[in-house]
Amino acid sequence: MKPPIPLLRSTVLRQFQVSRHIRPSCVKQIPLALRRTYTTAGDAEKPLDTKPSYPPLADQLKAMIKMAGPIPLAHYMRQCLTSDTGGYYTTPRAPSAASDQFGVHGDFVTSPEISQMFGEMLGIWVLTEWMAQGAASSGVVLVELGPGRGTLMDDILRTIQAFRNMARAVEKVYLVEASPELRDRQRRLLCGEDAVMEEWSGGFRAKSEKYPGYGKPLEIVWFEDVRLLPKFEKRLSPYFIVHEFFDSLPIHAFKATKDGWRELLVSHRDMNIPPAASAEDSVPPPPPSEDPTSTSSTTSTSTQPEFHLVVSPSSTPYSLILPTLSPRFTAVPKDHTATIEVSPEALTYLTTLVTTLSASPHGAILIIDYSATTPETATPSHSLRGIRGHRFVSPFTNPGEIDLSADVDFGLFAETALKVAKNVEVHGPVTQGMFLKMLGMEERARQLVGRVLERAGDEVEKRDRVREIEGAIGRLIGEGEGGMGGVYKVMAIVPERGGRRPVGFGGSVAG
């Protein structure tokens, strides 16, 4: 006998409401057992190599599946990315460039790392939205989820400080960051090497004097989780920047069968359970444009996946609830090839942001994330991918050693935001290329090129710098092979104002 739907719904909600962020900037606190410890020998402190030894994560997952059977895809993703015993973002790495997930020596490059122009355009967007909402003289709080190295916020702060009135209106900067290593990296970039980060009851904070345009030391505050953000005073206006955050939150996947939706679970090949009907179910294909963050378009297929997807033989609590969250899911043709993906954690975090915005006098939420799904209103399907060394790989190989990403369901985001609050509007999604063009990135690139050509210096170096600028804008706005302009989408959620579009979405400051 199946449990009643209300009971199932409350059970599902409880399970994903207590989950945590999994992007590199919002991972679980690294457990004490994995941190470096010290002993005192005389007056010197020496590190001890006391890090416990664990079996490879693949072996842990294999044992788990053999003991309890196939596991939900969301559970597999969470273990791969944030397991305390081998997760991609929670396993301490040596402090070298080669061990950094970010950048050319890591597994992926994000837009802020490609060019300062990206952060400048986002700073301009925040400025125009602040102006469109009346240019309040105080109470502005800049909030970023998933700050990574801190590069994006650094560029945004540097841009805004050139506009004195808004700079003076900014009171605080909030960063949602659970990784101690990344918090320290952000502190050094945003506040300076010598800045002191103090711990307090709500999180961590430091003062920054790096940006004189703000007219005062800027308070940078870190929180380990979105839900730890303080309740905003009525006079405060939060501007949320959410860049490449949602695409790594765990997803559940479901397949249409003659008996209704069935959940796709992760099994191990030694279990001898047949994989889901088609090859694309067990190894989702990369998006058409390959890896948009890479200069290489080669997809690795050298390793046979150790894990694969199987179809649950019966309903699960998730399959009874999640496919009912949107009419878009019920409209999906129920043939044997139909699959859908849902991230309840993403909806939980989005709900928190929208609720906060709806209770504030001004503010906005700007979401920029990966979604090769077209059209933008379609439901993501077979989108889970692994990323390693700037190439797409199977998400079911080398658990804990590769990044995982899935298309963001912007259509579901829009539905959710409008259900949560009646006093907000949703604009987009539009492609990143279109958004950046409307904000003037091409003009900014021409301005930078002109400055390079005008200054004295070695002609070869100047030509190299010009090629660098032109290559960066080509990647950021280009929609062809290797371009990020088409596969990244942008959505804005703003206070209700009669449908007047924000800049970047077809509108202007004056409306």
Side-chain angles (χ1 to χ4, degrees):
M1 179 177 177
K2 297 179 181 178
I5 290 295
L7 176 59
L8 286 171
R9 184 181 299 274
S10 63
T11 302
V12 171
L13 289 174
R14 280 198 303 273
Q15 290 190 40
F16 68 72
Q17 282 174 349
V18 298
S19 355
R20 297 179 63 86
H21 300 224
I22 62 172
R23 205 62 183 139
S25 46
C26 41
V27 294
K28 291 191 292 186
Q29 179 84 10
I30 294 177
L32 291 172
L34 295 182
R35 299 180 194 166
R36 176 174 291 185
T37 57
Y38 294 85
T39 184
T40 301
D43 294 328
E45 288 188 343
K46 298 180 180 180
L48 285 176
D49 293 326
T50 58
K51 186 170 63 176
S53 176
Y54 298 106
L57 186 59
D59 292 345
Q60 299 177 47
L61 289 167
K62 176 181 176 181
M64 184 187 307
I65 291 170
K66 282 192 171 184
M67 180 181 298
I71 58 177
L73 182 56
H75 183 65
Y76 172 83
M77 289 182 66
R78 191 175 294 109
Q79 290 297 308
C80 288
L81 295 175
T82 62
S83 168
D84 294 339
T85 58
Y88 180 75
Y89 289 124
T90 46
T91 300
R93 299 185 176 207
S96 65
S99 66
D100 191 342
Q101 296 103 329
F102 305 94
V104 295
H105 299 292
D107 291 324
F108 53 84
V109 177
T110 60
S111 296
E113 307 292 341
I114 293 174
S115 172
Q116 68 185 55
M117 293 184 289
F118 182 81
E120 291 172 347
M121 294 302 104
L122 267 58
I124 293 296
W125 188 85
V126 173
L127 171 71
T128 60
E129 194 56 31
W130 169 78
M131 294 172 64
Q133 296 185 30
S137 60
S138 64
V140 172
V141 181
L142 302 176
V143 188
E144 185 182 0
L145 280 62
R149 291 170 167 174
T151 306
L152 178 57
M153 183 55 72
D154 180 49
D155 289 334
I156 290 174
L157 291 173
R158 180 176 49 79
T159 301
I160 290 177
Q161 77 168 343
F163 302 89
R164 178 171 177 171
N165 287 343
M166 183 178 184
R168 298 300 171 91
V170 175
E171 296 193 7
K172 295 181 181 180
V173 175
Y174 288 169
L175 302 176
V176 177
E177 177 58 78
S179 165
E181 288 78 10
L182 287 174
R183 276 199 303 269
D184 187 60
R185 190 162 191 164
Q186 294 152 16
R187 174 196 61 80
R188 296 197 306 269
L189 177 62
L190 301 176
C191 304
E193 291 287 344
D194 298 328
V196 177
M197 177 188 287
E198 63 174 356
E199 186 170 359
W200 60 294
S201 58
F204 306 85
R205 59 190 176 193
K207 293 286 188 180
S208 173
E209 298 185 7
K210 179 179 177 180
Y211 311 96
Y214 291 85
K216 59 186 179 298
L218 201 55
E219 186 174 27
I220 313 291
V221 187
W222 287 264
F223 300 91
E224 292 184 306
D225 191 286
V226 171
R227 290 158 294 189
L228 296 178
L229 288 170
K231 185 175 181 180
F232 283 74
E233 302 172 36
K234 285 290 186 180
R235 66 179 187 84
L236 296 179
S237 301
Y239 289 81
F240 294 97
I241 305 296
V242 193
H243 175 251
E244 289 201 56
F245 174 83
F246 287 113
D247 68 311
S248 280
L249 293 179
I251 62 169
H252 290 266
F254 306 95
K255 184 178 180 64
T257 71
K258 61 182 179 62
D259 298 313
W261 291 109
R262 291 291 183 264
E263 187 165 6
L264 291 173
L265 307 174
V266 177
S267 185
H268 189 271
R269 60 191 177 197
D270 288 355
M271 292 288 287
N272 294 319
I273 301 176
S278 64
E280 67 177 356
D281 286 327
S282 58
V283 186
S289 62
E290 297 292 346
D291 184 354
T293 66
S294 172
T295 55
S296 167
S297 61
T298 304
T299 301
S300 171
T301 57
S302 59
T303 305
Q304 182 66 28
E306 187 174 356
F307 300 87
H308 59 253
L309 292 178
V310 298
V311 180
S312 173
S314 59
S315 297
T316 65
Y318 294 108
S319 70
L320 291 172
I321 297 300
L322 297 183
T324 69
L325 293 181
S326 169
R328 295 162 58 252
F329 300 153
T330 58
V332 172
K334 303 301 187 296
D335 56 47
H336 70 283
T337 64
T339 63
I340 60 173
E341 298 167 354
V342 187
S343 174
E345 286 190 35
L347 300 182
T348 298
Y349 296 131
L350 180 69
T351 297
T352 299
L353 301 185
V354 173
T355 300
T356 301
L357 176 64
S358 67
S360 305
H362 306 290
I365 303 168
L366 185 68
I367 301 170
I368 305 175
D369 223 318
Y370 195 97
S371 184
T373 301
T374 55
E376 285 72 19
T377 55
T379 300
S381 177
H382 304 301
S383 75
L384 180 64
R385 61 192 72 82
I387 304 170
R388 187 177 193 181
H390 302 274
R391 296 180 179 181
F392 281 120
V393 298
S394 168
F396 301 113
T397 59
N398 303 311
E401 299 178 23
I402 62 175
D403 190 23
L404 298 180
S405 170
D407 282 12
V408 171
D409 191 344
F410 281 100
L412 186 57
F413 276 19
E415 289 180 3
T416 301
L418 296 175
K419 287 179 182 177
V420 169
K422 303 301 181 184
N423 60 340
V424 301
E425 295 179 353
V426 177
H427 297 272
V430 299
T431 64
Q432 175 175 293
M434 179 183 298
F435 175 77
L436 295 175
K437 288 177 184 177
M438 284 194 263
L439 279 164
M441 178 173 275
E442 292 171 310
E443 290 78 2
R444 175 58 171 159
R446 286 193 288 268
Q447 182 186 63
L448 292 176
V449 167
R451 290 179 181 177
V452 170
L453 297 177
E454 289 172 3
R455 72 187 182 202
D458 181 85
E459 291 300 320
V460 174
E461 291 182 1
K462 288 162 66 174
R463 286 197 298 271
D464 288 344
R465 176 58 180 149
V466 168
R467 282 196 292 268
E468 181 182 330
I469 294 171
E470 292 174 344
I473 194 168
R475 291 187 66 188
L476 291 172
I477 70 175
E479 299 192 9
E481 183 176 348
M484 305 170 74
V487 292
Y488 282 84
K489 306 300 192 304
V490 187
M491 172 178 283
I493 304 172
V494 298
E496 198 282 326
R497 58 202 186 182
R500 179 167 53 81
R501 296 181 180 182
V503 174
F505 297 86
S508 64
V509 178

